Structure formats: structure tokens, C-alpha cells
Amino acid sequence: MATIRTTPGTLTVTLTRAEKVLGLLRDLEVPLSAVRSVEAVPDGLAAARGLRAPGLGLPGLRLIGTWRRRGTRTLVSVRRGEPAVRIELAGQRHDTVLVSGPDAADVAASLAAAVPTGR
């Protein structure tokens, strides 16, 4: 399961080896100043929008990879029955990060508290 961590100036999304291989992804590290918004969504599978390119899609079970819509890219790693954290980014390779986990609301709250305000 992917993990989200923050340091004083950085947001890091660390993927498992399986997520990296199946989703053709790599770990993501961005400055906290690039985070535009953070929210918890109740159903990560339903929150993934667009076309998978590249990645793994097991409908109704698991989504891992990059989802694309007109002008946007979303890094996705979500499971059935788990809430997810949606992180909107500015000026990065991915415009959005969508990662599921049982403690998504707590992660979203702690990340929102760590993001600099006043933009």
C-alpha cells in the first residue's frame, strides 16, 4: 500500500514494489508549495476518472497507474472498499495524486495542516 509522508518542505508518496511494477510508476516527491488542495474521498475507486495509460485496472477491485483526462494526469493507487486521499498539485508531472488507505481522513487532515497557506 502506498504511503504519504511530509517533511518540512516536501511531500513524498512511496509506492510498494508491486505498485511500481504493475502501474509502471515510481515514487513521487514534490515540494509542499506545489500542493493546491487536499481532501479525503469516501470511495477511491469511484474517484478515479479518465483513461488508464499506463497501468493496471481490475474493475471494481484495484486501480494502479496513471489516469489521463484532457490536460490532466492522475497518479492512482486505490483499492475497493477504502477511502482515499486526493491531492491536487500545481506545476508537477502529475496534476493529482489519488491514494487509498484505511486512515485517509487522518492523512488528509495532517497533510492539510502541513501545507503552507496564503497562496
Side-chain angles (χ1 to χ4, degrees):
M1 178 182 317
T3 58
I4 299 172
R5 288 179 301 203
T6 60
T7 61
T10 307
L11 166 70
T12 305
V13 178
T14 307
L15 303 167
T16 65
R17 184 174 302 205
E19 288 170 326
K20 289 177 186 178
V21 171
L22 296 173
L24 299 172
L25 296 170
R26 57 185 160 188
D27 292 341
L28 179 70
E29 187 170 310
V30 298
L32 278 177
S33 60
V35 176
R36 291 191 336 218
S37 67
V38 179
E39 69 174 319
V41 293
D43 184 1
L45 282 176
R49 298 278 187 242
L51 297 173
R52 174 180 39 99
L56 170 74
L58 300 174
L61 295 175
R62 187 83 161 102
L63 304 177
I64 306 169
T66 301
W67 263 246
R68 299 171 191 253
R69 290 193 321 175
R70 182 178 297 177
T72 64
R73 279 185 182 183
T74 303
L75 183 149
V76 175
S77 179
V78 293
R79 297 173 188 261
R80 174 178 61 185
E82 286 189 351
V85 177
R86 179 185 293 143
I87 305 166
E88 299 287 334
L89 303 172
Q92 301 299 312
R93 178 178 179 172
H94 292 94
D95 302 297
T96 307
V97 175
L98 185 64
V99 176
S100 68
D103 57 347
D106 295 334
V107 171
S110 66
L111 181 56
V115 172
T117 57
R119 277 175 275 149

